Amino acid sequence: MTLVDVSQISAALFITGAIFILLFFGLLSLGVLKMFQLKYRQGWFSFIGAVVSGAVFGIILNTWFV
């Protein structure tokens, strides 16, 4: 096993990634929870929100950090 050098990652990239990871997986888990509660409409909206936030994250990464 080797060590990974993360000193080249900027603070802005780290914070952006952390926010979007929390947003994406929060919406995904909320969608699963709503589906188990048989609230299908709210569950699908949460899934759609997770997909949209993932797409926005990709666009922001491509625009600001590449």
Side-chain angles (χ1 to χ4, degrees):
M1 219 183 235
T2 61
L3 296 176
V4 177
D5 183 25
V6 293
S7 63
Q8 301 297 324
I9 297 176
S10 67
L13 178 60
F14 178 78
I15 292 170
T16 303
I19 289 171
F20 275 104
I21 286 171
L22 288 172
L23 178 65
F24 178 79
F25 286 112
L27 285 172
L28 197 63
S29 65
L30 188 63
V32 171
L33 176 69
K34 292 297 181 181
M35 288 293 185
F36 277 117
Q37 292 176 346
L38 302 178
K39 298 178 181 178
Y40 296 115
R41 183 177 172 94
Q42 293 174 0
W44 283 113
F45 281 139
S46 294
F47 288 143
I48 291 169
V51 170
V52 169
S53 68
V56 169
F57 179 58
I59 291 169
I60 287 175
L61 281 181
N62 193 25
T63 304
W64 290 350
F65 297 108
V66 174

